[in-house]
Amino acid sequence: MRTEQLAGDAAGLARAASLLASGALVAFPTETVYGLGADALNGEAVARIYEAKARPAFNPLIVHVASLEAARAIARFSEPAERLAAAFWPGALTLVLPLRPEAGLSPLVTAGLESVALRLPASDLARALLEEAGCPVAAPSANPSGRLSPTTAAHVLAGLGGRIEAVLDGGPAPVGVESTIIGLDPAPALLRPGGVPLEAVEACLGQPLARPQPPQPGENGAKPTAPGQLASHYAPRARLRLNVTEPGPGERLLGFGPVEGATLNLSPSGDLREAAANLFPHLHRLDETEGPIAVSPIPETGLGLAINDRLRRAAAPRD
Ligand code: TXA
Ligand code: MG
């Protein structure tokens, strides 16, 4: 199939919305990364997401909605859920909440779970698309499963071109790492660090949350206990070595902060927001040529949690 490249204007938006509503797969920009969208009420369309990405069927998908009312129609909101939504939506936060079965989501979206992951994105183009499509949209990141996440329409086309109906181009994703996922089942838990710093979530809830344990080598293939926690994920083709201050012979340095001799630098000034936005684009670029990659140390605070999480998965042994 030929993948339509749609401009992020009114005409592109209208075409993308009508394709989505008719059961097609449409990649679209969000502020975190590009998502691969399908009508979450349409089982056949959702099944094609798993097929296009070659995604393990047990890994459930995030449902994107245009409004808080639409979210409340799909899941039950507890008091802490309401508080988080009020503080961080629209934005880079996903809430895992008890599913309302009467919402009619395809069971493929939740992989049969009784909970659902919901997000109201901040991207204007994403919200306009969701509104115009008129349905909840299931969307994982728009990349082949296990590969680097896409932050541009070009990344999407390189990974999924020919396998999806269209990609809506909204320019580079400004946040650059996926959403922070908080489970509320019912106690709040961090399921994945992401674009909203954990410290901000903790301040909103008035309580600290446990950090998820970094995945152990060899965990791949097992049913994840904290979902989405496959050890090897977000992987470039090249081997990755982390926390490097002295790159070895043949290694290309992905720098952070004022380091010498970096091939690319996530943020020469040591700014974690800039580093998050550059993470996947720089890894995609380094992956265009051969050779191992060494990465400078990155502090484990703020967006550094999400950056280090993605880097550890990219560096994990593949199995
Ligand atoms: O920023 C993002 O979150 C992007 C954009 C496109 O919105 N989406 C994204 O989706 O990263 P994906 O499918 O790559 O990651 C979704 C994560 C998975 O790790 C999955 O296991 C978890 O959400 N998840 C989905 N439903 C869940 C549920 N009911 N319970 C626990 N975890 C769930
Ligand atoms: Mg993903």
Side-chain angles (χ1 to χ4, degrees):
M1 111 183 29
R2 197 184 61 85
T3 299
E4 288 181 43
Q5 298 181 50
L6 305 173
D9 55 16
L13 203 58
R15 175 73 183 149
S18 88
L19 280 169
L20 267 181
S22 70
L25 296 186
V26 178
F28 64 98
T30 81
E31 72 277 21
T32 58
V33 300
Y34 275 65
L36 178 58
D39 176 357
L41 307 175
N42 180 336
E44 267 175 54
V46 176
R48 290 194 46 227
I49 292 183
Y50 286 95
E51 215 180 299
K53 283 183 60 95
R55 182 177 174 106
F58 56 72
N59 204 358
L61 307 172
I62 295 176
V63 176
H64 298 69
V65 290
S67 68
L68 187 52
E69 296 71 58
R72 290 199 191 103
I74 294 173
R76 289 197 305 275
F77 276 65
S78 58
E79 194 277 326
E82 289 286 354
R83 196 164 350 139
L84 289 172
F88 299 109
W89 279 4
L93 183 77
T94 294
L95 299 175
V96 176
L97 302 168
L99 172 68
R100 293 186 191 278
E102 68 274 19
L105 293 192
S106 160
L108 279 176
V109 171
T110 53
L113 297 171
E114 288 172 11
S115 57
V116 59
L118 286 176
R119 179 155 106 81
L120 173 48
S123 153
D124 289 338
L125 202 53
R127 281 209 316 283
L129 176 66
L130 292 166
E131 231 158 75
E132 202 155 329
C135 55
V137 172
S141 50
N143 53 311
S145 189
R147 309 297 308 186
L148 294 171
S149 296
T151 58
T152 64
H155 293 159
V156 174
L157 283 169
L160 295 176
R163 309 176 69 168
I164 63 177
E165 274 78 7
V167 56
L168 179 64
D169 193 341
V175 175
V177 290
E178 294 83 350
S179 59
T180 301
I181 305 183
I182 301 293
L184 292 151
D185 193 18
L190 176 69
L191 300 182
R192 178 179 74 184
V196 170
L198 179 58
E199 295 88 339
V201 174
E202 292 176 328
C204 173
L205 290 170
Q207 69 177 94
L209 299 182
R211 284 16 183 197
Q213 291 305 303
Q216 300 306 305
E219 260 179 23
N220 257 7
K223 194 172 167 106
T225 44
Q229 307 301 307
L230 296 175
S232 167
H233 207 138
Y234 313 104
R237 276 177 283 269
R239 254 186 325 106
L240 226 72
R241 201 160 67 86
L242 307 184
N243 295 312
V244 175
T245 45
E246 295 276 326
E251 277 185 332
R252 295 164 302 156
L253 180 64
L254 178 59
F256 176 81
V259 297
E260 300 266 301
T263 304
L264 289 175
N265 198 317
L266 292 168
S267 171
S269 69
D271 179 292
L272 286 167
R273 272 179 196 278
E274 182 185 23
N278 281 330
L279 178 66
F280 287 121
H282 280 13
L283 287 173
H284 276 284
R285 267 183 63 195
L286 289 173
D287 220 23
E288 284 164 9
T289 47
E290 298 281 311
I293 302 166
V295 188
S296 296
I298 293 164
E300 190 75 7
T301 57
L303 290 181
L305 237 62
I307 297 169
N308 283 320
D309 171 80
R310 306 308 186 268
L311 285 170
R312 277 195 293 268
R313 287 171 209 285
R318 322 280 159 80
D319 53 22

